[in-house]
Amino acid sequence: MGKSSVPIEISGLTKSFGDVKAVDGLSFSVQPGSVTGFLGPNGAGKSTTLRMLLGLVRPDAGVATIGGRRYGELASPSDEIGAALDASGFHPRRSGRGHLRVLCTANGIPSKRADEVLEKVGLADAAQRKVKGYSLGMRQRLALAGALLGNPSVLVLDEPANGLDPKGINWMRSMLRESADQGGTVLVSSHVLSEVEQLVDRVVVINKGRLVREGTLDEVAGGEGSVVTVRTPQADALLALFGERMAGGVRADRAEADLVRVWGLDVAEVGRIASAAGLEIHELGSERSSLEDIFFALTGDQ
Ligand SMILES: Nc1ncnc2c1ncn2[C@@H]1O[C@H](COP(=O)(O)OP(=O)(O)OP(=O)(O)O)[C@@H](O)[C@H]1O
C-alpha cells in the first residue's frame, strides 16, 4: 500500500445550466483500492460532476470531497488528486515533454518528473514531438501522464479509453490497476460500458443527472441477473401474471408478439408459475443479460 487512503464522497450534488438540470441530487462514494467506472449515456452529467469535484464548476447544492475536503481546501492538490478531463486540451505546438514541464512548474513539481511519467506511459520516444502530431491514443497517454505527475492518491479520468486500441486498453488497465493495488482511488468515466468493463471493478451508473445503480460489476449484473425467455401464444396472460409480482422484484416485458422476457425469477420458477396458471408454453429458456443490456436497461438508452 504505497498511497494514503483517500475516498471521494459526492453528496447531494446538484447543478443546472439554465433550464437543463445537468446533475440532480447525486450522491455516491468512491473507495480507495479499487477502480470505479462512472457510467452514463451522453449528457448524463458525468463531466459536470467531475468538474464540480475538481473545483472547476460551482455546485448549486451539495458537496464533493476528496478525503473529506473540497478541492479548494486541499493543501497541495496535485499531490492528492490527478485528473485528465480532456485529451484535446493541449497546446498543439508544445512537445509532450514541454506540456508536462509546464504542469510541473505550475504545480511546484521537479521538472525531471516529466521524463519519469513519459517513460511510464510509453511516450519517452515521442517526448520531443509536437502534440499536434500525436494520435488520439498518444494524447490519452499524455493526459494520463499529466494526472500521474504528482503521484497522487486519487486519479480522476474522463473517458480515458476513448481512442485506445485493444492493446492500449490493456495497458490502461494495468496502469489503473497498479494505482488501485497501491491503495489509490481511481474514478474513470465512460459512456460506453464495454469500453471500461475490463478496466473497472465497481461501477456508478447515472442517467439524467441522477444515480441509477452503484456496486461491483457482479452486483450490478446480478441485480438484473439472467433473463428467462418464454415463447407462448398467451403472451398477454403471461405478462399479467408476472406483472402482479412486480413488487417482489420481478419484471417482465414483451420482446416479440409471442416472446416474453422475465427478470428476477429462475427458469424453473417461471415454468412452474406459468403451468400452474394453465398457460401454453412453446419454449422456455434462460440467458445471462450482457452488461451492455443491463446498462441499456438501467439508462433507458437504446
Ligand atoms: N457549460 C454548460 N452550459 C450549458 N449546458 C451544459 C454545460 N455543461 C454541460 N451542460 C449540459 O448538461 C448536461 C450534462 O452534460 P455533461 O457534459 O455533464 O454530460 P456527460 O455525461 O459528461 O456527457 P458526455 O458523455 O456526452 O460527455 C447536458 O445536457 C449538457 O448539454
Side-chain angles (χ1 to χ4, degrees), residues 49-133:
T49 302
L50 299 183
R51 290 178 159 276
M52 288 192 275
L53 176 67
L54 294 162
L56 298 168
V57 167
R58 182 200 286 271
D60 297 334
V63 62
T65 59
I66 302 131
R69 282 172 301 158
R70 289 168 215 248
Y71 187 86
E73 298 165 350
L74 298 175
S76 176
S78 65
D79 295 343
E80 300 179 62
I81 180 165
L85 288 196
D86 187 355
S88 62
F90 305 112
H91 192 302
R93 280 193 296 275
R94 235 172 235 151
S95 67
R97 178 188 280 137
H99 166 75
L100 293 174
R101 287 193 166 174
V102 168
L103 289 182
C104 284
T105 307
N107 292 293
I109 295 167
S111 63
K112 69 171 178 8
R113 180 71 184 145
D115 288 319
E116 285 171 25
V117 293
L118 282 165
E119 181 76 36
K120 194 169 171 67
V121 303
L123 282 180
D125 289 346
Q128 316 263 37
R129 282 170 51 192
K130 289 193 171 60
V131 173
K132 71 175 176 191

Side-chain angles (χ1 to χ4, degrees), residues 15-18 20-23 38-51 57 158-159 189-192 206 209:
K15 179 72 188 180
S16 294
F17 297 101
V20 178
K21 207 154 209 185
V23 178
F38 186 34
L39 304 173
N42 288 131
K46 303 178 297 293
S47 300
T48 305
T49 302
L50 299 183
R51 290 178 159 276
V57 167
D158 201 3
E159 306 267 356
S189 81
S190 180
H191 64 281
V192 190
I206 69 166

Side-chain angles (χ1 to χ4, degrees), residues 208-264:
K208 301 193 174 96
R210 297 185 186 192
L211 183 71
V212 181
R213 198 60 66 87
E214 179 180 11
T216 64
L217 277 177
D218 279 350
E219 280 163 5
V220 170
E224 291 294 302
S226 59
V227 53
V228 177
T229 52
V230 192
R231 204 168 283 283
T232 169
Q234 292 170 287
D236 286 331
L238 192 75
L239 274 172
L241 199 57
F242 290 107
E244 288 166 14
R245 295 169 175 256
M246 286 285 281
V250 177
R251 192 162 66 79
D253 75 6
R254 188 178 208 145
E256 294 166 28
D258 64 344
L259 188 69
V260 172
R261 298 185 296 183
V262 184
W263 287 264

